[in-house]
Amino acid sequence: MILLVGDKSRSDVVHAIAQVEPLLRELADVVVDTDGDHDFVANPPSLVINFGGDGSILRVAGRLGERQVPLLGVNFGKFGFLAEYELPELLVNLQNAVDGKLPTRQSLLLKVTVTRGTESTERIVVNDVVLQRAPDHRMSHVFAYYDDALLADYFGDGLILSTPLGSTAYNLAAGGALLHPELEAVILTPLCPHTLSLRPLVVPAGGVLKLKVEGDDSLALTMDGEGTTELHGGDSVEIREAATPLTLIAHPTRSYFDTLRLKFDWSKRTTVSRT
């Protein structure tokens, strides 16, 4: 079964799904989910085609959790880094998508456990985990541990912990490095640290990262840019590699580096007029 996902409040998305659905029904079983209420456990798809921007891909991957299936993104957003296909490109590749003949790229996901006292909650994260002080709060301490060894006391505005796939997002804006999406690594990037020597750090994804809030500090926790949980002294966030990676269907004629150059306008020369 192929699942078509999109936001029904967007007329362009609804129109695109209406174009694709009848063509796909000639090739496979199709279910359309424009309300975001499809039950992935009771009715698991073999392929998800998402009509929207990069943010909607993050939401769909989060809903899939550890039951990941190939995900093809059709770009109706602004950036389109994860959603690599435009609608005409999907239309000419429908048969290959159904037959599993399009290239794929796997990227690690994170399993995040937030503990407050005796209560714990879990979530699958695609891009990043961000701990950030509130605008009206003082600078805070985030103690980061890797396999129980202390990495650093991140004293400042907070900390971004990013996957390679998410390294092009908030991590990049905060001065972190770009990581190839197929690397098995995680990058920790401090937010406005109160020391010039504290710099982004890349660690293997196989270990367990733990972030602890100490004393009377208070921080806001955000995962994949959605929802905010307030953390206080004694609370902790444990991050480990999820059992199942994210599988994105890649563009058939563009490499990852082609996408970087296209989206970031790399290698473009500016013309300087001479008088």
Side-chain angles (χ1 to χ4, degrees):
M1 182 268 286
I2 297 176
L3 182 67
L4 306 184
V5 180
D7 183 353
K8 68 179 181 181
S9 68
R10 293 191 53 172
S11 58
D12 54 349
V13 167
V14 172
H15 179 68
I17 292 176
Q19 284 184 268
V20 173
E21 181 186 358
L23 299 175
L24 270 180
R25 288 198 183 278
E26 298 178 4
L27 306 173
D29 294 330
V30 178
V31 173
V32 176
D33 176 23
T34 56
D35 294 309
D37 56 6
H38 181 80
D39 190 336
F40 287 98
V41 177
N43 193 13
S46 58
L47 168 67
V48 176
I49 301 179
N50 181 80
F51 297 78
D54 290 350
S56 63
I57 288 182
L58 299 183
R59 288 189 288 274
V60 171
R63 289 172 60 199
L64 284 165
E66 294 190 274
R67 299 178 179 86
Q68 295 293 315
V69 298
L71 177 56
L72 187 155
V74 186
N75 186 34
F76 283 87
K78 294 179 180 178
F79 198 58
F81 195 87
L82 303 180
E84 294 193 44
Y85 285 76
E86 300 299 328
L87 181 58
E89 295 172 322
L90 171 65
L91 292 174
V92 299
N93 281 286
L94 278 180
Q95 185 69 63
N96 286 334
V98 173
D99 294 341
K101 293 182 178 179
L102 293 174
T104 59
R105 184 185 303 123
Q106 289 194 327
S107 298
L108 69 87
L109 297 173
L110 300 177
K111 187 174 184 178
V112 181
T113 304
V114 181
T115 301
R116 303 195 64 182
T118 58
E119 296 184 358
S120 295
T121 57
E122 290 185 349
R123 177 174 169 178
I124 297 297
V125 169
V126 182
N127 261 7
D128 50 35
V129 177
V130 179
L131 275 71
Q132 192 169 21
R133 73 174 181 89
D136 57 345
H137 287 199
R138 65 184 184 183
M139 287 188 294
S140 56
H141 295 267
V142 178
F143 291 87
Y145 299 82
Y146 184 83
D147 284 345
D148 294 327
L150 178 65
L151 290 180
D153 168 11
Y154 289 91
F155 181 49
D157 284 354
L159 175 67
I160 303 168
L161 193 147
S162 173
T163 66
L165 195 67
S167 66
T168 57
Y170 194 12
N171 163 77
L172 181 62
L178 289 177
L179 303 184
H180 190 282
E182 294 179 2
L183 283 174
E184 297 288 321
V186 177
I187 181 168
L188 294 90
T189 302
L191 290 170
C192 301
H194 197 53
T195 171
L196 293 177
S197 61
L198 203 53
R199 290 290 180 248
L201 173 67
V202 179
V203 298
V208 178
L209 279 156
K210 181 170 279 190
L211 310 178
K212 290 184 178 180
V213 182
E214 301 289 348
D216 58 355
D217 285 347
S218 177
L219 295 108
L221 168 68
T222 307
M223 294 179 274
D224 281 346
E226 288 193 336
T228 300
T229 302
E230 192 167 336
L231 298 179
H232 304 282
D235 298 341
S236 66
V237 182
E238 186 177 275
I239 302 107
R240 63 181 70 228
E241 184 176 359
T244 309
L246 172 70
T247 300
L248 288 175
I249 295 182
H251 196 279
T253 61
R254 282 200 306 266
S255 71
Y256 170 71
F257 302 107
D258 292 332
T259 302
L260 284 182
R261 290 195 304 272
L262 175 67
K263 301 301 180 181
F264 292 144
D265 290 334
W266 284 1
S267 304
K268 283 192 175 179
R269 295 184 178 182
T270 16
T271 304
V272 180
S273 59
R274 297 180 179 179
T275 55

Short mmCIF file of all heavy atoms in Angstrom, two decimals, residues 201-264:
data_model
loop_
_atom_site.label_atom_id
_atom_site.label_comp_id
_atom_site.label_asym_id
_atom_site.label_seq_id
_atom_site.Cartn_x
_atom_site.Cartn_y
_atom_site.Cartn_z
N LEU A 201 31.27 19.88 18.43
CA LEU A 201 31.97 18.62 18.65
C LEU A 201 31.19 17.49 17.98
O LEU A 201 29.97 17.38 18.17
CB LEU A 201 32.10 18.36 20.15
CG LEU A 201 32.66 17.00 20.58
CD1 LEU A 201 34.13 16.88 20.17
CD2 LEU A 201 32.49 16.81 22.09
N VAL A 202 31.87 16.64 17.21
CA VAL A 202 31.25 15.50 16.54
C VAL A 202 31.65 14.24 17.29
O VAL A 202 32.84 14.00 17.55
CB VAL A 202 31.69 15.41 15.07
CG1 VAL A 202 31.06 14.19 14.39
CG2 VAL A 202 31.31 16.69 14.32
N VAL A 203 30.64 13.41 17.64
CA VAL A 203 30.90 12.16 18.35
C VAL A 203 30.22 11.01 17.62
O VAL A 203 29.26 11.21 16.88
CB VAL A 203 30.38 12.23 19.81
CG1 VAL A 203 31.11 13.31 20.59
CG2 VAL A 203 28.87 12.46 19.85
N PRO A 204 30.71 9.77 17.80
CA PRO A 204 30.07 8.62 17.16
C PRO A 204 28.63 8.44 17.66
O PRO A 204 28.32 8.68 18.83
CB PRO A 204 30.95 7.44 17.58
CG PRO A 204 32.25 8.03 17.98
CD PRO A 204 31.92 9.38 18.55
N ALA A 205 27.76 7.99 16.76
CA ALA A 205 26.34 7.83 17.11
C ALA A 205 26.10 6.58 17.94
O ALA A 205 25.01 6.41 18.51
CB ALA A 205 25.50 7.78 15.84
N GLY A 206 27.09 5.69 18.04
CA GLY A 206 26.88 4.43 18.75
C GLY A 206 26.83 4.55 20.25
O GLY A 206 26.34 3.64 20.93
N GLY A 207 27.31 5.65 20.81
CA GLY A 207 27.29 5.83 22.26
C GLY A 207 26.00 6.45 22.74
O GLY A 207 25.10 6.78 21.96
N VAL A 208 25.91 6.62 24.05
CA VAL A 208 24.72 7.23 24.67
C VAL A 208 25.09 8.63 25.16
O VAL A 208 26.02 8.79 25.95
CB VAL A 208 24.20 6.38 25.85
CG1 VAL A 208 23.00 7.07 26.49
CG2 VAL A 208 23.83 4.99 25.38
N LEU A 209 24.37 9.61 24.68
CA LEU A 209 24.55 10.99 25.12
C LEU A 209 23.50 11.31 26.18
O LEU A 209 22.33 10.96 26.02
CB LEU A 209 24.40 11.96 23.95
CG LEU A 209 25.63 12.13 23.05
CD1 LEU A 209 25.21 12.61 21.67
CD2 LEU A 209 26.62 13.10 23.68
N LYS A 210 23.93 11.96 27.23
CA LYS A 210 22.99 12.39 28.27
C LYS A 210 23.22 13.86 28.55
O LYS A 210 24.35 14.29 28.77
CB LYS A 210 23.14 11.56 29.53
CG LYS A 210 22.15 11.96 30.63
CD LYS A 210 22.14 10.98 31.79
CE LYS A 210 21.31 9.77 31.49
NZ LYS A 210 21.07 8.91 32.68
N LEU A 211 22.14 14.63 28.54
CA LEU A 211 22.18 16.05 28.86
C LEU A 211 21.45 16.26 30.18
O LEU A 211 20.30 15.82 30.34
CB LEU A 211 21.51 16.87 27.75
CG LEU A 211 21.96 16.57 26.32
CD1 LEU A 211 21.17 17.40 25.33
CD2 LEU A 211 23.46 16.80 26.16
N LYS A 212 22.13 16.91 31.13
CA LYS A 212 21.54 17.12 32.45
C LYS A 212 21.44 18.60 32.77
O LYS A 212 22.34 19.39 32.45
CB LYS A 212 22.39 16.42 33.52
CG LYS A 212 22.33 14.91 33.48
CD LYS A 212 23.11 14.30 34.64
CE LYS A 212 23.02 12.78 34.65
NZ LYS A 212 23.78 12.20 35.79
N VAL A 213 20.33 18.95 33.40
CA VAL A 213 20.11 20.31 33.89
C VAL A 213 20.34 20.29 35.40
O VAL A 213 19.79 19.44 36.11
CB VAL A 213 18.69 20.80 33.57
CG1 VAL A 213 18.49 22.24 34.04
CG2 VAL A 213 18.42 20.69 32.06
N GLU A 214 21.18 21.19 35.88
CA GLU A 214 21.53 21.18 37.29
C GLU A 214 21.00 22.42 38.01
O GLU A 214 20.68 23.44 37.39
CB GLU A 214 23.06 21.11 37.46
CG GLU A 214 23.71 19.88 36.82
CD GLU A 214 23.40 18.60 37.56
OE1 GLU A 214 22.86 18.67 38.68
OE2 GLU A 214 23.69 17.52 37.01
N GLY A 215 20.93 22.32 39.34
CA GLY A 215 20.58 23.47 40.18
C GLY A 215 19.20 24.01 39.90
O GLY A 215 18.25 23.27 39.68
N ASP A 216 19.11 25.36 39.89
CA ASP A 216 17.82 26.00 39.67
C ASP A 216 17.68 26.52 38.25
O ASP A 216 16.86 27.39 37.96
CB ASP A 216 17.60 27.13 40.67
CG ASP A 216 18.71 28.20 40.60
OD1 ASP A 216 19.67 27.98 39.84
OD2 ASP A 216 18.59 29.23 41.30
N ASP A 217 18.52 25.98 37.31
CA ASP A 217 18.43 26.39 35.91
C ASP A 217 17.12 25.90 35.29
O ASP A 217 16.55 24.89 35.71
CB ASP A 217 19.60 25.84 35.10
CG ASP A 217 20.89 26.58 35.36
OD1 ASP A 217 20.82 27.67 35.96
OD2 ASP A 217 21.97 26.07 34.99
N SER A 218 16.68 26.63 34.29
CA SER A 218 15.46 26.27 33.57
C SER A 218 15.69 26.48 32.08
O SER A 218 16.18 27.53 31.67
CB SER A 218 14.28 27.14 34.05
OG SER A 218 13.12 26.84 33.32
N LEU A 219 15.38 25.46 31.28
CA LEU A 219 15.58 25.55 29.84
C LEU A 219 14.35 25.03 29.09
O LEU A 219 13.57 24.23 29.62
CB LEU A 219 16.80 24.72 29.40
CG LEU A 219 18.15 25.17 29.89
CD1 LEU A 219 18.67 24.20 30.94
CD2 LEU A 219 19.14 25.26 28.74
N ALA A 220 14.23 25.46 27.83
CA ALA A 220 13.18 24.96 26.96
C ALA A 220 13.75 23.89 26.05
O ALA A 220 14.78 24.09 25.41
CB ALA A 220 12.59 26.10 26.13
N LEU A 221 13.10 22.73 26.00
CA LEU A 221 13.51 21.63 25.14
C LEU A 221 12.60 21.57 23.92
O LEU A 221 11.37 21.52 24.06
CB LEU A 221 13.43 20.31 25.91
CG LEU A 221 13.55 19.02 25.09
CD1 LEU A 221 14.96 18.87 24.53
CD2 LEU A 221 13.17 17.81 25.93
N THR A 222 13.21 21.58 22.73
CA THR A 222 12.46 21.48 21.48
C THR A 222 13.09 20.38 20.62
O THR A 222 14.31 20.29 20.52
CB THR A 222 12.49 22.80 20.69
OG1 THR A 222 12.05 23.86 21.54
CG2 THR A 222 11.57 22.74 19.48
N MET A 223 12.24 19.54 20.01
CA MET A 223 12.73 18.46 19.16
C MET A 223 12.13 18.60 17.77
O MET A 223 10.90 18.70 17.63
CB MET A 223 12.38 17.10 19.77
CG MET A 223 13.12 16.83 21.07
SD MET A 223 12.71 15.23 21.85
CE MET A 223 11.25 15.68 22.80
N ASP A 224 12.99 18.66 16.77
CA ASP A 224 12.58 18.84 15.38
C ASP A 224 11.72 20.09 15.20
O ASP A 224 10.82 20.14 14.36
CB ASP A 224 11.82 17.61 14.85
CG ASP A 224 12.77 16.48 14.47
OD1 ASP A 224 13.99 16.74 14.35
OD2 ASP A 224 12.30 15.34 14.28
N GLY A 225 12.00 21.11 16.01
CA GLY A 225 11.35 22.40 15.85
C GLY A 225 9.91 22.46 16.28
O GLY A 225 9.23 23.47 16.04
N GLU A 226 9.41 21.41 16.92
CA GLU A 226 8.00 21.39 17.31
C GLU A 226 7.84 21.07 18.79
O GLU A 226 8.53 20.21 19.34
CB GLU A 226 7.24 20.33 16.49
CG GLU A 226 7.02 20.71 15.05
CD GLU A 226 6.01 19.80 14.38
OE1 GLU A 226 5.84 18.65 14.84
OE2 GLU A 226 5.42 20.23 13.39
N GLY A 227 6.90 21.76 19.41
CA GLY A 227 6.60 21.50 20.81
C GLY A 227 7.72 21.94 21.72
O GLY A 227 8.90 21.84 21.36
N THR A 228 7.38 22.45 22.87
CA THR A 228 8.38 22.91 23.83
C THR A 228 8.07 22.34 25.20
O THR A 228 6.93 22.42 25.67
CB THR A 228 8.42 24.44 23.90
OG1 THR A 228 8.74 24.97 22.61
CG2 THR A 228 9.46 24.92 24.89
N THR A 229 9.08 21.75 25.82
CA THR A 229 8.96 21.22 27.17
C THR A 229 9.93 21.97 28.06
O THR A 229 11.09 22.15 27.71
CB THR A 229 9.30 19.71 27.20
OG1 THR A 229 8.44 19.01 26.32
CG2 THR A 229 9.15 19.15 28.61
N GLU A 230 9.47 22.42 29.21
CA GLU A 230 10.35 23.14 30.13
C GLU A 230 11.08 22.15 31.02
O GLU A 230 10.47 21.26 31.62
CB GLU A 230 9.55 24.13 30.98
CG GLU A 230 10.44 25.12 31.73
CD GLU A 230 9.66 26.28 32.32
OE1 GLU A 230 8.57 26.58 31.80
OE2 GLU A 230 10.15 26.87 33.30
N LEU A 231 12.41 22.28 31.06
CA LEU A 231 13.25 21.43 31.89
C LEU A 231 13.79 22.21 33.08
O LEU A 231 14.12 23.40 32.95
CB LEU A 231 14.42 20.87 31.08
CG LEU A 231 14.08 19.98 29.87
CD1 LEU A 231 15.36 19.54 29.19
CD2 LEU A 231 13.26 18.78 30.28
N HIS A 232 13.91 21.54 34.21
CA HIS A 232 14.42 22.17 35.42
C HIS A 232 15.54 21.32 36.00
O HIS A 232 15.83 20.23 35.50
CB HIS A 232 13.29 22.34 36.45
CG HIS A 232 12.12 23.12 35.93
ND1 HIS A 232 12.14 24.50 35.82
CD2 HIS A 232 10.91 22.71 35.46
CE1 HIS A 232 10.98 24.91 35.33
NE2 HIS A 232 10.22 23.85 35.09
N GLY A 233 16.16 21.83 37.05
CA GLY A 233 17.25 21.11 37.70
C GLY A 233 16.86 19.69 38.06
O GLY A 233 15.79 19.47 38.63
N GLY A 234 17.72 18.75 37.73
CA GLY A 234 17.43 17.34 38.00
C GLY A 234 16.85 16.60 36.81
O GLY A 234 16.87 15.37 36.78
N ASP A 235 16.33 17.32 35.82
CA ASP A 235 15.80 16.69 34.61
C ASP A 235 16.95 16.28 33.69
O ASP A 235 18.02 16.88 33.72
CB ASP A 235 14.85 17.63 33.87
CG ASP A 235 13.63 18.01 34.70
OD1 ASP A 235 13.33 17.28 35.67
OD2 ASP A 235 12.98 19.01 34.37
N SER A 236 16.69 15.28 32.86
CA SER A 236 17.73 14.83 31.94
C SER A 236 17.14 14.41 30.61
O SER A 236 15.95 14.07 30.51
CB SER A 236 18.52 13.65 32.54
OG SER A 236 17.69 12.51 32.66
N VAL A 237 17.99 14.45 29.58
CA VAL A 237 17.60 14.04 28.23
C VAL A 237 18.64 13.03 27.75
O VAL A 237 19.83 13.34 27.69
CB VAL A 237 17.57 15.24 27.26
CG1 VAL A 237 17.12 14.80 25.88
CG2 VAL A 237 16.65 16.34 27.80
N GLU A 238 18.18 11.82 27.43
CA GLU A 238 19.09 10.78 26.96
C GLU A 238 18.86 10.55 25.47
O GLU A 238 17.72 10.41 25.02
CB GLU A 238 18.85 9.48 27.73
CG GLU A 238 19.85 8.38 27.41
CD GLU A 238 19.63 7.14 28.24
OE1 GLU A 238 20.16 7.10 29.37
OE2 GLU A 238 18.93 6.22 27.77
N ILE A 239 19.95 10.53 24.71
CA ILE A 239 19.86 10.42 23.25
C ILE A 239 20.71 9.25 22.79
O ILE A 239 21.88 9.15 23.14
CB ILE A 239 20.35 11.72 22.56
CG1 ILE A 239 19.53 12.93 23.02
CG2 ILE A 239 20.29 11.59 21.06
CD1 ILE A 239 20.27 13.85 23.95
N ARG A 240 20.09 8.37 22.00
CA ARG A 240 20.83 7.25 21.42
C ARG A 240 20.32 7.03 19.99
O ARG A 240 19.25 7.53 19.61
CB ARG A 240 20.67 5.98 22.25
CG ARG A 240 19.25 5.47 22.34
CD ARG A 240 19.19 4.21 23.21
NE ARG A 240 19.43 4.50 24.62
CZ ARG A 240 20.28 3.81 25.38
NH1 ARG A 240 20.98 2.82 24.85
NH2 ARG A 240 20.42 4.11 26.65
N GLU A 241 21.08 6.30 19.21
CA GLU A 241 20.68 6.02 17.83
C GLU A 241 19.47 5.10 17.82
O GLU A 241 19.44 4.09 18.52
CB GLU A 241 21.83 5.38 17.06
CG GLU A 241 21.54 5.15 15.60
CD GLU A 241 22.74 4.62 14.84
OE1 GLU A 241 23.81 4.46 15.46
OE2 GLU A 241 22.61 4.37 13.63
N ALA A 242 18.46 5.47 17.03
CA ALA A 242 17.27 4.63 16.92
C ALA A 242 17.60 3.34 16.17
O ALA A 242 18.56 3.27 15.40
CB ALA A 242 16.16 5.39 16.19
N ALA A 243 16.78 2.32 16.40
CA ALA A 243 17.04 1.01 15.81
C ALA A 243 16.89 1.02 14.29
O ALA A 243 17.57 0.27 13.59
CB ALA A 243 16.09 -0.03 16.42
N THR A 244 15.99 1.88 13.79
CA THR A 244 15.72 1.91 12.35
C THR A 244 16.09 3.28 11.78
O THR A 244 15.71 4.30 12.35
CB THR A 244 14.22 1.65 12.08
OG1 THR A 244 13.82 0.47 12.79
CG2 THR A 244 13.95 1.47 10.60
N PRO A 245 16.83 3.32 10.67
CA PRO A 245 17.17 4.62 10.07
C PRO A 245 16.03 5.17 9.22
O PRO A 245 15.09 4.46 8.85
CB PRO A 245 18.38 4.28 9.19
CG PRO A 245 18.13 2.86 8.77
CD PRO A 245 17.46 2.20 9.94
N LEU A 246 16.12 6.44 8.93
CA LEU A 246 15.22 7.08 7.97
C LEU A 246 15.68 6.72 6.55
O LEU A 246 16.88 6.78 6.26
CB LEU A 246 15.25 8.60 8.16
CG LEU A 246 14.52 9.45 7.12
CD1 LEU A 246 13.01 9.28 7.25
CD2 LEU A 246 14.90 10.92 7.28
N THR A 247 14.73 6.35 5.69
CA THR A 247 15.06 6.04 4.30
C THR A 247 14.36 7.05 3.40
O THR A 247 13.13 7.03 3.27
CB THR A 247 14.62 4.62 3.91
OG1 THR A 247 15.30 3.67 4.75
CG2 THR A 247 14.99 4.32 2.47
N LEU A 248 15.13 7.94 2.81
CA LEU A 248 14.59 8.94 1.89
C LEU A 248 14.86 8.49 0.46
O LEU A 248 15.96 8.00 0.15
CB LEU A 248 15.24 10.31 2.12
CG LEU A 248 14.84 11.07 3.38
CD1 LEU A 248 15.67 12.35 3.50
CD2 LEU A 248 13.36 11.41 3.38
N ILE A 249 13.87 8.64 -0.41
CA ILE A 249 14.09 8.36 -1.82
C ILE A 249 14.77 9.57 -2.44
O ILE A 249 14.24 10.68 -2.42
CB ILE A 249 12.76 8.05 -2.53
CG1 ILE A 249 12.19 6.75 -1.95
CG2 ILE A 249 12.96 7.93 -4.03
CD1 ILE A 249 10.91 6.29 -2.59
N ALA A 250 15.97 9.34 -2.94
CA ALA A 250 16.80 10.43 -3.46
C ALA A 250 16.44 10.74 -4.90
O ALA A 250 15.80 9.94 -5.60
CB ALA A 250 18.28 10.05 -3.35
N HIS A 251 16.86 11.91 -5.34
CA HIS A 251 16.62 12.31 -6.73
C HIS A 251 17.44 11.42 -7.66
O HIS A 251 18.61 11.12 -7.37
CB HIS A 251 17.03 13.78 -6.92
CG HIS A 251 16.49 14.39 -8.16
ND1 HIS A 251 17.08 14.21 -9.40
CD2 HIS A 251 15.40 15.16 -8.37
CE1 HIS A 251 16.38 14.85 -10.31
NE2 HIS A 251 15.36 15.44 -9.72
N PRO A 252 16.87 10.97 -8.77
CA PRO A 252 17.58 10.01 -9.63
C PRO A 252 18.78 10.58 -10.37
O PRO A 252 19.65 9.84 -10.82
CB PRO A 252 16.50 9.54 -10.61
CG PRO A 252 15.50 10.65 -10.64
CD PRO A 252 15.51 11.24 -9.26
N THR A 253 18.85 11.90 -10.53
CA THR A 253 19.95 12.48 -11.31
C THR A 253 20.80 13.47 -10.53
O THR A 253 21.77 13.99 -11.07
CB THR A 253 19.41 13.18 -12.58
OG1 THR A 253 18.53 14.26 -12.19
CG2 THR A 253 18.66 12.21 -13.47
N ARG A 254 20.46 13.75 -9.25
CA ARG A 254 21.23 14.70 -8.45
C ARG A 254 21.87 13.98 -7.27
O ARG A 254 21.20 13.23 -6.56
CB ARG A 254 20.34 15.83 -7.91
CG ARG A 254 20.00 16.91 -8.90
CD ARG A 254 19.55 18.20 -8.20
NE ARG A 254 18.47 18.00 -7.26
CZ ARG A 254 17.19 18.17 -7.56
NH1 ARG A 254 16.83 18.52 -8.78
NH2 ARG A 254 16.25 17.99 -6.64
N SER A 255 23.15 14.23 -7.04
CA SER A 255 23.80 13.69 -5.86
C SER A 255 23.53 14.62 -4.67
O SER A 255 23.00 15.73 -4.82
CB SER A 255 25.32 13.60 -6.09
OG SER A 255 25.90 14.91 -6.12
N TYR A 256 23.92 14.16 -3.48
CA TYR A 256 23.80 14.99 -2.29
C TYR A 256 24.56 16.30 -2.46
O TYR A 256 24.09 17.37 -2.07
CB TYR A 256 24.33 14.23 -1.07
CG TYR A 256 24.48 15.07 0.17
CD1 TYR A 256 23.37 15.54 0.87
CD2 TYR A 256 25.74 15.43 0.65
CE1 TYR A 256 23.50 16.32 2.00
CE2 TYR A 256 25.90 16.20 1.78
CZ TYR A 256 24.77 16.65 2.46
OH TYR A 256 24.91 17.43 3.58
N PHE A 257 25.74 16.23 -3.09
CA PHE A 257 26.55 17.43 -3.26
C PHE A 257 25.94 18.37 -4.31
O PHE A 257 26.07 19.59 -4.20
CB PHE A 257 27.98 17.04 -3.63
CG PHE A 257 28.62 16.15 -2.61
CD1 PHE A 257 28.82 14.81 -2.86
CD2 PHE A 257 28.99 16.65 -1.37
CE1 PHE A 257 29.39 13.98 -1.90
CE2 PHE A 257 29.56 15.83 -0.40
CZ PHE A 257 29.75 14.50 -0.67
N ASP A 258 25.27 17.80 -5.30
CA ASP A 258 24.53 18.64 -6.24
C ASP A 258 23.45 19.43 -5.51
O ASP A 258 23.23 20.61 -5.78
CB ASP A 258 23.86 17.77 -7.32
CG ASP A 258 24.86 17.11 -8.26
OD1 ASP A 258 25.95 17.69 -8.45
OD2 ASP A 258 24.54 16.04 -8.80
N THR A 259 22.77 18.75 -4.57
CA THR A 259 21.72 19.42 -3.80
C THR A 259 22.30 20.54 -2.95
O THR A 259 21.71 21.62 -2.84
CB THR A 259 20.98 18.40 -2.91
OG1 THR A 259 20.43 17.37 -3.72
CG2 THR A 259 19.86 19.07 -2.13
N LEU A 260 23.46 20.29 -2.32
CA LEU A 260 24.10 21.35 -1.53
C LEU A 260 24.39 22.58 -2.40
O LEU A 260 24.10 23.71 -2.00
CB LEU A 260 25.41 20.84 -0.92
CG LEU A 260 25.33 19.91 0.28
CD1 LEU A 260 26.74 19.56 0.75
CD2 LEU A 260 24.55 20.54 1.42
N ARG A 261 24.97 22.34 -3.56
CA ARG A 261 25.30 23.47 -4.44
C ARG A 261 24.04 24.19 -4.91
O ARG A 261 24.01 25.43 -4.97
CB ARG A 261 26.11 22.99 -5.65
CG ARG A 261 27.52 22.54 -5.31
CD ARG A 261 28.38 22.43 -6.57
NE ARG A 261 27.77 21.53 -7.54
CZ ARG A 261 27.97 20.22 -7.57
NH1 ARG A 261 28.75 19.66 -6.67
NH2 ARG A 261 27.39 19.48 -8.49
N LEU A 262 23.00 23.42 -5.21
CA LEU A 262 21.76 24.01 -5.70
C LEU A 262 21.06 24.84 -4.63
O LEU A 262 20.65 25.98 -4.87
CB LEU A 262 20.83 22.90 -6.21
CG LEU A 262 19.43 23.32 -6.65
CD1 LEU A 262 19.52 24.18 -7.91
CD2 LEU A 262 18.55 22.09 -6.90
N LYS A 263 20.92 24.27 -3.44
CA LYS A 263 20.15 24.92 -2.39
C LYS A 263 20.91 26.06 -1.72
O LYS A 263 20.31 27.02 -1.24
CB LYS A 263 19.71 23.90 -1.34
CG LYS A 263 18.85 22.76 -1.90
CD LYS A 263 17.58 23.28 -2.55
CE LYS A 263 16.75 22.12 -3.09
NZ LYS A 263 15.50 22.59 -3.75
N PHE A 264 22.25 25.94 -1.64
CA PHE A 264 23.05 26.95 -0.95
C PHE A 264 23.75 27.92 -1.90
O PHE A 264 24.53 28.76 -1.46
CB PHE A 264 24.10 26.28 -0.05
CG PHE A 264 23.50 25.55 1.12
CD1 PHE A 264 24.06 24.37 1.58
CD2 PHE A 264 22.37 26.03 1.75
CE1 PHE A 264 23.53 23.69 2.66
CE2 PHE A 264 21.81 25.36 2.84
CZ PHE A 264 22.39 24.19 3.29
#
